Amino acid sequence: MDASHLHSDRFENRHIGPSTSQVAEMLEVLGLNTVDELIDETIPAKIRMVGNLDLPDALTETELLDGLAAHANANRVFRSYIGMGYYGTITPPAIRRGVLENASWYTQYTPYQAEISQGRLEALLNFQTVIVDLTGLEIANASLLDEGTAAAEAMTMLNRKARRRGNRFLVASDAHPQTIEVVRTRAEPIDIEIVVQPHNEFVLDDTVFGILVQYPASDGNICDYTTLCQEAHTEDISVVVAADLLSLTLLRPPAEFGADVAIGSTQRFGVPMGFGGPHAAYFACTDRFKRQTPGRIIGVTNDTDGNRAFRMALQTREQHIRRDKATSNICTAQVLLAIMASMYAVYHGPDGLRQIAERVHLLTRRFANRLSSLGYSIRHSNYFDTIRIDTDENAQSIIQKRALDREINLRYFEDGSIGVSLDQAVSVRDLENLQDAFDVDDTSDGDTNWITTELASDQLGAIDPSLSRTSEFLTHPVFHDHHSETKLTRYMHWLASKDLSLTTSMIPLGSCTMKLNAAAELIPITWSSFSQIHPFVPDDQVSGYRKMIGELEDWLAAITGFAATSLQPNSGASGEYAGLLIIRAYHMDRGDSDRRVCLIPSSAHGTNPASAVMAGMEVVVVGCDDLGNIDTDELRAKVNENADRLAAIMLTYPSTHGVFEIGIRDICDLIHENGGQVYLDGANMNAQMGYCQPGDVGADVCHLNLHKTFAIPHGGGGPGVGPICVAEHLTKYLPGHPLVTVNSSPEAIGPVASAPFGSAGVLPISWAYIAMLGSAGLRRSTEIAILNANYMAERLSSHYEILYKGANGRVAHEFILDLRHLRSETSLTEVDVAKRLMDYGFHAPTMSWPVVGTMMIEPTESESKDELDRFCDAMISIRSEIQEVEVGLIKGEDSLLANAPHTAGMVTANEWGQQYTREQAAFPAPWTRDHKFWPSVRRVDDAAGDRNLVCSCQSVEAYADSV
């Protein structure tokens, strides 16, 4: 029995927006008496699950925090010197409180609407500037998922660019092991041959299109790759350098010795390890790759008045537009973490970053010297923060035991040597404990002078002068003006005030599910027993983490009706890719290597075809009928045409058009009868929880978006988590990992992320969401999500056409407004409606997808009726403004919509040349007088920004010229 009803403070009442009376009012508008009646008219009876979800009783917020504290306390937080791309770091409290724990930052959406995203865009431009300056390259994107993914993206980019060369990609054997394996996973389905060997053994010929080296190497060695780069370029081979970002404050930048691409992680710029993530990876390259660069690039342009503005540049590269021809399938980045890293650089500036790096390097040098005095041999003479100590297996075993006794984790190599990586957080006490672990004869007398005695500057380093950095970096004023907490706090608040987030109003984006991210869910992610754990520690140190992860995996499997779950994919698109790899592995295991055709409806999210291509599949598009359902006649024809080669179909359910297709079981049966597997995109799980299950309707694998349905914040475009759930026959193919056991089956596919559990640091959020709602609460969330959508559709239906509805005239949790008539009957478009909504204080719904010229609206279960009414009132008011153009009262180009958004500077200017009043422009609805959100720029010029790509902070003179 669920005892949560005994609590007056149960989370369900906090999470779900409409009150009991508001639910009744909405049902009355719909002509219904109960929510059950609505569900009966919306979700087909033939797909409804029997019984309730097998989940524990719902917890209150207090009970939740106690329960997660028990899991956290079961972890043992040792001091980890494992390195391999993960390091202790100090998150400045101002950044932790001002960004990570600030709803104005973590509830933002991806900055597709640039005019109300200027603060986040500026922070991301700062991020790109950090990357450009430290790597010395010309172009940087606004973050990728992790270092391994970035390396894989670099490989595939170079492969696309060098189509006429061979298919071999050479990887240095001293790169991080997890990076090597993620690259292997990505390469295999698209027939790229990976050769792993010491970089000095590379054979550079016309069979090779690219090489990857680590700088410094995974075991700490710093190599001069100048000659290698020269030889590679002579053979027209491109060079990728995986570089530690902090080290680049002291080391020669990759561009200066010939790198074409630099990739890596920004984790040690103030982002906790979090058992592996989330962390923002960086990706930089020379200018010639700018149109092939994966992910998002933030660029500088102007607005209508000629003022400087920021926007996402070169968006035609994205999978939403190019689909199977896209540069990558990446949809979610790690924006929140990239912003943290950028603020870390802003706060410390170049001098502060250099001082941090010098301290880390100095302590590493001193520790190496101390070990040498104890009789140990340090393998490499050039190093930054990592040393490799030569020992035999017997000595390694003794030192490992001594280290564990002192709660220390080190890296242990198969040849008996030991790796030690120091970091920003190392203290004198830490170094004493480290010494004790290696001092097996207990000869130390407790003297710490070797740690604290100042060294002369000429003794500072174990870095060859030829490898030392001489060029300046972070010269822009933004990295020099905010070093006090007061100035940084004001800067962060100033930027946040330029962005519309859920702290301002609902964000009704269809398919993106911008729901409440409850504070109680987020509190545990900053606990040290979750956040300060290295991803490659021994299992007995993370029993609490593993138990929580296991419970979340089981709960997600129960919710979806599948047998097992993998939480490794760290974005929705990564989940799609992993699911297709599993289907591919299933066919290959059965000897069906020719099964490579993937059927995808024309309405599918753009990442679907892009993911299929990445998985080595051939995309065949299936059309939709006039009601928005898959055209079953066309489907049968294409199934028959490709029966012997059919690998899979990718479905979204409810459909991307916002309806429950009645024939879903028949579609699944048709695919199975012809040897294929069914992949179901779980982006719309918000309409199914507690009522229907993908595994029950016939799917074989589905991915979920924890950053949609299960409450992980979007964070301005990330972090995202995209786990996959699979049927019993596919469980043995779930992703493995080279360093941590997550699936011991020999049939496991390779890792799709650097860390074994992907973005483990944010998994407590979704665990908390499910734990506090329980079976009944999840079911109620589904009901209200569907009720809210149908209520809004009903209110707007007399003003706009609702493009698709189900068999009984109902929509699912989202619906599409048809605005295509604007283009044919006026000079206005749906873009003008989106910009005008900003004047009303709202973010636009999803635009022109899945149907060009439309808007897709999803209210979620978290919004109350009064907020739904405010948005509907705004849309109805805008419809009246459109009508003024339609009947000829005003020309389209002179209308409120065409000139939107209206900034404070525009409406307070001395001159006003518009044919409408300033009041109509700025205060179109009563609530805008009570709380006005002002866009900080007018409409941005997209074309100008793409013609003149600028993706880093400009010079002071350029700023002055733009004013």
Side-chain angles (χ1 to χ4, degrees), residues 704-858:
L704 301 170
N705 296 94
L706 300 192
H707 52 289
K708 293 182 181 182
T709 305
F710 297 97
I712 290 177
H714 282 250
V721 180
I724 47 174
C725 302
V726 298
E728 182 66 40
H729 65 285
L730 297 179
T731 56
K732 62 182 179 180
Y733 304 108
L734 287 170
H737 195 274
L739 302 168
V740 177
T741 301
V742 291
N743 181 8
S744 58
S745 167
E747 288 88 2
I749 65 170
V752 295
S754 291
F757 300 102
S759 295
V762 293
L763 295 181
I765 300 171
S766 294
W767 188 97
Y769 174 82
I770 297 171
M772 288 193 293
L773 283 174
S775 177
L778 291 175
R779 185 180 175 93
R780 185 64 173 170
S781 294
T782 298
E783 293 171 352
I784 301 304
I786 291 173
L787 173 62
N788 282 356
N790 277 277
Y791 171 72
M792 292 183 74
E794 182 66 25
R795 275 211 63 193
L796 293 173
S797 61
S798 58
H799 305 276
Y800 299 90
E801 182 182 349
I802 309 301
L803 191 54
Y804 300 115
K805 294 183 178 180
N808 298 312
R810 301 300 184 190
V811 300
H813 65 306
E814 59 189 9
F815 61 96
I816 299 174
L817 293 184
D818 192 352
L819 301 176
R820 289 175 293 183
H821 66 284
L822 294 182
R823 292 178 180 268
S824 60
E825 298 174 10
T826 72
S827 61
L828 301 176
T829 71
E830 71 283 355
V831 174
D832 298 305
V833 176
K835 304 308 180 189
R836 181 56 173 155
L837 272 168
M838 297 176 189
D839 291 330
Y840 287 82
F842 286 106
H843 194 291
T846 301
M847 281 200 312
S848 290
W849 183 83
V851 180
V852 174
T854 66
M855 283 185 165
M856 183 162 61
I857 297 172
E858 180 182 357

Side-chain angles (χ1 to χ4, degrees), residues 631-651:
D631 187 322
T632 53
D633 290 338
E634 183 177 337
L635 174 64
R636 287 192 185 92
K638 290 187 174 177
V639 166
N640 292 334
E641 182 181 343
N642 297 283
D644 293 337
R645 300 177 60 236
L646 179 62
I649 189 171
M650 298 186 79
L651 302 173

Side-chain angles (χ1 to χ4, degrees), residues 64-65 100-103 106-107 336 516-527 711-713 764-765 768:
L64 166 87
L65 294 175
L100 181 60
E101 297 176 345
N102 185 341
Y106 66 70
T107 66
L336 188 67
L516 170 70
N517 312 124
E521 296 163 358
L522 273 65
I523 287 173
I525 68 172
T526 58
W527 292 347
I712 290 177
I765 300 171

Side-chain angles (χ1 to χ4, degrees), residues 17-18 22 26 500-508 788 791-792 795 840-843 859-860 862-875 927 931:
Q22 289 179 336
M26 289 191 284
L500 191 148
S501 69
L502 285 177
T503 62
T504 301
S505 57
M506 71 181 293
I507 301 180
N788 282 356
Y791 171 72
M792 292 183 74
R795 275 211 63 193
Y840 287 82
F842 286 106
H843 194 291
T860 83
S862 295
E863 299 297 344
S864 62
K865 178 178 178 293
D866 50 306
E867 184 70 0
L868 307 183
D869 283 333
R870 278 204 318 129
F871 183 82
C872 289
D873 290 343
M875 289 298 295
W927 63 83
H931 177 58

Side-chain angles (χ1 to χ4, degrees), residues 551-620:
E551 289 171 347
L552 181 56
E553 289 173 342
D554 291 343
W555 294 350
L556 294 175
I559 290 168
T560 57
F562 284 108
T565 304
S566 170
L567 291 163
Q568 190 178 109
N570 49 13
S571 78
S574 181
E576 294 176 6
Y577 172 62
L580 291 172
L581 286 184
I582 286 172
I583 289 174
R584 180 177 184 275
Y586 168 78
H587 288 308
M588 298 288 284
D589 200 23
R590 291 160 57 89
D592 288 337
S593 58
D594 291 336
R595 290 193 175 273
R596 294 202 169 195
V597 169
C598 184
L599 303 178
I600 301 180
S602 58
S603 62
H605 195 281
T607 56
N608 283 187
S611 296
V613 170
M614 283 173 50
M617 295 184 179
E618 174 189 339
V619 174
V620 173

Side-chain angles (χ1 to χ4, degrees), residues 293-313:
T293 302
R296 296 168 184 146
I297 298 175
I298 308 307
V300 180
T301 187
N302 298 315
D303 73 358
T304 301
D305 293 334
N307 296 315
R308 181 174 57 94
F310 309 110
R311 59 180 284 276
M312 292 203 298

